């Protein structure tokens, strides 16, 4: 049994079967990649883990609890954090403030409640936020305004906003999308460091260099169906995987 057990997930949008009997088992402390051509159903699946979508049928068990029917903030409090593809940061606030907000949200359950309530335990949260910024090598930029960061740095800030929640499972949606190669390599190194602390990560990624540098296990989706799940060396030469990508539109 893994920390995240997904079985028999089906999800349709109108006449489109976006997920078709999907099973996935993410083992504790591993980096598990979900790959597949455009439109394969990767984001839909991730959205089923965080409560943004409710599958038509199926089971999503995380660390002994069922996530089906829970609200996004409840799933977050259960220990699942997500780093989005487009950074969802507060542009006018400092890096430190940006990282403090999800720490309060994890503790208290919602953003809005926190922004107007007295900031209980602020110094502890501030300390944790500084530690999370240090984890992504941005402690020296804590006072900078988030909007002034480069795109790569904004992604790292978002990573800190996930880490500050001290999740048991971190979901990363294309963490290197749109990055130049040097930034991508720096992000790979950073994620390797974070993985070495024992944090379980699920990563959606199109860049195979990133996938094969990080993943210990890979699930391949095509047209909503899992066509392979294995260790990276076996996925590379898998005939069904090559077929799914042949002439595919993945970037
Ligand atoms: N809210 C929605 N309403 C209708 N169709 C949707 C919705 N969300 C996704 N789809 C469709 O479901 C299918 C799976 O989409 P999804 O975004 O999960 O794929 P993906 O593998 O993440 O693709 P990409 O790599 O391009 O992000 C696609 O055909 C998409 O058009």
């Amino acid at each position: 049994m893994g920390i995240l057990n997904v079985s028999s997930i089906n999800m349709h949008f109108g006449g489109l079967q976006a997920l078709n009997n999907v099973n996935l088992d993410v083992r504790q402390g591993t980096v598990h990649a979900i790959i597949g051509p455009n439109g394969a159903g990767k984001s839909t699946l991730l959205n089923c883990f965080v409560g943004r979508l409710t599958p038509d049928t199926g089971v999503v068990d995380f660390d002994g609890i069922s996530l089906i029917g829970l609200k996004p903030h409840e799933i977050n409090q259960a220990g699942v954090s997500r780093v989005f593809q487009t950074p969802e940061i507060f542009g006018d606030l400092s890096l430190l403030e940006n990282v403090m907000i999800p720490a309060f949200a994890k503790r208290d359950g919602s953003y809005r409640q926190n922004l107007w309530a007295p900031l209980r335990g602020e110094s502890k949260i501030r300390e944790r936020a500084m530690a999370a910024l240090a984890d992504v090598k941005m402690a020296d930029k804590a006072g900078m305004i988030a909007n002034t960061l480069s795109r790569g740095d904004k992604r790292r800030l978002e990573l800190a906003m996930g880490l500050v929640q001290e999740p048991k499972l971190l979901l990363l949606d294309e963490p290197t999308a749109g990055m130049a190669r040097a930034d991508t390599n720096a992000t790979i190194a950073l994620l390797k460091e974070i993985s070495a602390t024992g944090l379980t990560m699920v990563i959606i990624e199109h860049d195979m260099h990133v996938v094969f540098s990080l993943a210990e296990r890979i699930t391949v989706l095509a047209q909503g169906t899992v066509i392979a799940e294995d260790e990276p060396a076996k996925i590379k030469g898998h005939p069904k995987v090559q077929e799914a990508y042949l002439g595919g539109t993945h970037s």
Side-chain angles (χ1 to χ4, degrees):
M1 281 283 274
I3 188 168
L4 181 70
N5 302 102
V6 174
S7 61
S8 310
I9 293 283
N10 284 284
M11 178 87 213
H12 78 283
F13 298 111
L16 176 83
Q17 191 73 27
L19 295 174
N20 184 12
N21 201 30
V22 170
N23 297 303
L24 183 77
D25 191 17
V26 178
R27 297 175 197 167
Q28 174 106 38
T30 60
V31 179
H32 193 127
I34 301 172
I35 66 170
N38 289 119
K42 304 179 296 292
S43 301
T44 302
L45 186 59
L46 211 69
N47 282 329
C48 290
F49 302 162
V50 294
R52 283 203 167 186
L53 289 174
T54 305
D56 303 330
T57 61
V59 173
V60 181
D61 282 344
F62 168 70
D63 202 27
I65 62 165
S66 169
L67 299 186
I68 302 284
L70 295 188
K71 298 201 166 65
H73 76 267
E74 292 170 329
I75 294 175
N76 183 238
Q77 285 192 307
V80 180
S81 295
R82 175 179 187 173
V83 178
F84 292 90
Q85 192 175 340
T86 317
E88 297 200 349
I89 58 175
F90 303 90
D92 296 335
L93 300 183
S94 73
L95 272 61
L96 179 62
E97 287 163 336
N98 265 278
V99 181
M100 286 173 74
I101 288 170
F104 278 119
K106 166 82 187 296
R107 191 191 67 181
D108 297 344
S110 86
Y111 284 74
R112 207 177 308 140
Q113 186 178 321
N114 286 308
L115 288 176
W116 307 110
L119 298 179
R120 280 185 295 117
E122 186 186 337
S123 65
K124 262 217 168 81
I125 295 265
R126 184 180 292 268
E127 255 170 49
R128 269 187 27 217
M130 278 308 295
L133 282 171
D135 286 344
V136 301
K137 325 286 180 219
M138 292 180 102
D140 56 330
K141 296 182 176 158
M144 279 176 67
I145 296 300
N147 262 344
T148 63
L149 296 177
S150 68
R151 186 178 159 81
D153 278 354
K154 281 180 182 157
R155 307 289 325 255
R156 282 200 290 158
L157 170 59
E158 245 226 332
L159 188 55
M161 291 166 76
L163 291 174
V164 77
Q165 296 191 316
E166 297 174 342
K168 296 178 198 157
L169 172 65
L170 185 64
L171 306 174
L172 298 152
D173 198 348
E174 296 198 40
T176 67
M179 280 187 187
R181 186 49 83 190
D183 249 353
T184 296
N185 286 336
T187 303
I188 291 172
L190 189 56
L191 291 175
K192 273 190 177 160
E193 257 180 52
I194 293 164
S195 159
T197 66
L199 178 59
T200 311
M201 293 193 248
V202 170
I203 169 171
I204 289 185
E205 184 58 68
H206 279 295
D207 184 334
M208 290 303 135
H209 170 60
V210 177
V211 170
F212 286 100
S213 301
L214 287 170
E216 291 154 271
R217 194 100 194 146
I218 300 176
T219 295
V220 189
L221 273 180
Q223 296 178 338
T225 302
V226 174
I227 57 167
E229 180 179 332
D230 218 322
E231 57 196 61
K234 294 198 177 133
I235 289 293
K236 256 186 188 157
H238 200 295
K240 273 193 184 172
V241 177
Q242 292 184 342
E243 190 187 313
Y245 275 100
L246 261 185
T249 52
H250 69 288
S251 43

